[in-house]
Amino acid sequence: MIARATVLGAPIVDGTAGNTMRVMSLCSPAQFVSTQIPVPTPTSGELLIRVTACGVCGHDLLAASGLLSAENGAVLGHEISGTVESVGSPDLTAWLGTRVALVQRRSCGECADCIAKHTSQCRSGPGFYGDDIQGGFAEFVLADPRNAVAIPDNIDGVTAAFLSCGVGTGLRALRAAKLEESDVVLVTGASGGVGLHTVQLAKHFGLRVIATTSREASTEALMQAGATEVIVDPTVGKIREVAARLGRLRGVDAAIEITGAPLFATSLRSLAPGGRLVLVGNVRPEVLALDPGLSIVKELQIIGSAHATREDLVEVVDLVASGSIHPIASRVFALNDLPKAFAALRSRSYTGRAVVVP
Ligand SMILES: [Zn+2]
Ligand SMILES: [Zn+2]
């Protein structure tokens, strides 16, 4: 047991100093090993977070497979909630004991992107959990007030873990799609964590949602989340038929493309003239074939949408605290069972988001 930090003037004494913590570190492609490493020490401006839960996301699958920047020994996990255990400077003492949800990237707060509030584009700060800095498949992580948002008592720690990635990603994508009430939006890959919550958000904003999935067993959950129609194993024909039934004879107003390569062409061809395709997911990183003629003639827009900012996360916390959105943690695994959580994600054996708890 690590003693709670005590305030003894500047800098704040870190009650965890010299202790070790348990992490799950990457030991070869898609394999993890339980390891003890030193608890990180917060420096000036930093918060030490005792992790409550960490979501398991498709991004982690890519990282664990060696397709991103993470190398052997990396501690992945970027969907983190926890409690502020100690702080690195006296100006942060008000954070001690605060329950927080974290944005997955720690930004610098000073570069042109940060000043313009495009913090997901910052490349001067500590970086992205798991890719650049130690992630949340651990007992502790470092954070700072630029990526931490306090959560109210009516949001539990398991839910808080994936509010930024699992919910904020969809919020940002829907905003990028420039939709108006009663518009018809296509959400692909809808049974995953981002997809399921994008469906909930779209419903909340008064949109009509065509959700697609390869998983028939997710149909009921997607209808409960607010889908107007669910299509299993979508094709352009099936999507356009449903869109026509909803009064969109020339296709959907926008598509939130959460799969990337598998359904990009299908989503693009399902758009009405002037339609927007927002690229969010990238389950199989590869170059996409784009039909220039189709895009030109129909004046389509293809928009990339990155991860949530702190402002997005604050909005998500408000939506959840007020009961407008009900995030769903489908599976909860112990941290040591991280390989089981990955296996479950790989086999798509559940709807929504799974988390691990230390
Ligand atoms: Zn994620
Ligand atoms: Zn910056």
Side-chain angles (χ1 to χ4, degrees), residues 129-144:
Y129 288 106
D131 291 354
D132 307 314
I133 53 176
Q134 180 225 303
F137 297 144
E139 292 179 286
F140 293 92
V141 296
L142 291 173
D144 62 70

Side-chain angles (χ1 to χ4, degrees), residues 107-111 113-114 122-125:
S107 57
C108 78
E110 292 172 359
C111 71
D113 290 307
C114 283
C122 174
R123 294 298 180 270
S124 307

Side-chain angles (χ1 to χ4, degrees), residues 198-213:
T198 300
V199 171
Q200 274 200 26
L201 287 160
K203 166 75 175 174
H204 171 71
F205 293 127
L207 304 169
R208 292 177 295 162
V209 188
I210 303 174
T212 79
T213 177

Side-chain angles (χ1 to χ4, degrees), residues 44 49 55 60 129 155 164 181 187 193 296 304 307 322:
S44 182
I49 310 296
D60 296 314
Y129 288 106
I155 299 180
S164 183
E181 204 170 331
V187 178
I296 293 166
H307 65 75
S322 64

Side-chain angles (χ1 to χ4, degrees), residues 215-283:
R215 206 173 165 267
E216 181 137 32
S218 297
T219 303
E220 196 182 324
L222 288 169
M223 292 303 288
Q224 278 172 7
T228 312
E229 297 237 12
V230 176
I231 300 175
V232 179
D233 296 330
T235 61
V236 176
K238 288 188 199 174
I239 294 166
R240 292 186 72 107
E241 186 190 317
V242 173
R245 230 183 298 137
L246 297 174
R248 294 298 193 266
L249 301 179
R250 301 198 62 192
V252 297
D253 298 297
I256 309 298
E257 181 43 68
I258 300 177
T259 70
L263 286 172
F264 173 77
T266 302
S267 290
L268 197 72
R269 289 174 56 211
S270 301
L271 290 173
R276 286 81 62 199
L277 185 151
V278 183
L279 265 172
V280 182
N282 186 24
V283 298

Side-chain angles (χ1 to χ4, degrees), residues 326-347:
H326 302 275
I328 299 160
S330 314
R331 302 284 301 271
V332 180
F333 295 88
L335 177 59
N336 277 352
D337 286 334
L338 186 63
K340 287 185 190 165
F342 268 71
L345 178 59
R346 213 174 281 118
S347 64

Side-chain angles (χ1 to χ4, degrees), residues 284-336:
R284 201 175 67 208
E286 58 190 61
V287 174
L288 303 174
L290 174 68
D291 178 347
L294 180 75
S295 309
I296 293 166
V297 170
K298 290 175 79 175
E299 297 194 323
L300 304 178
Q301 296 178 46
I302 298 165
I303 303 159
S305 183
H307 65 75
T309 63
R310 190 179 189 282
E311 286 73 23
D312 296 326
L313 177 55
V314 167
E315 195 174 335
V316 168
V317 168
D318 286 346
L319 285 167
V320 176
S322 64
S324 301
I325 298 292
H326 302 275
I328 299 160
S330 314
R331 302 284 301 271
V332 180
F333 295 88
L335 177 59
N336 277 352

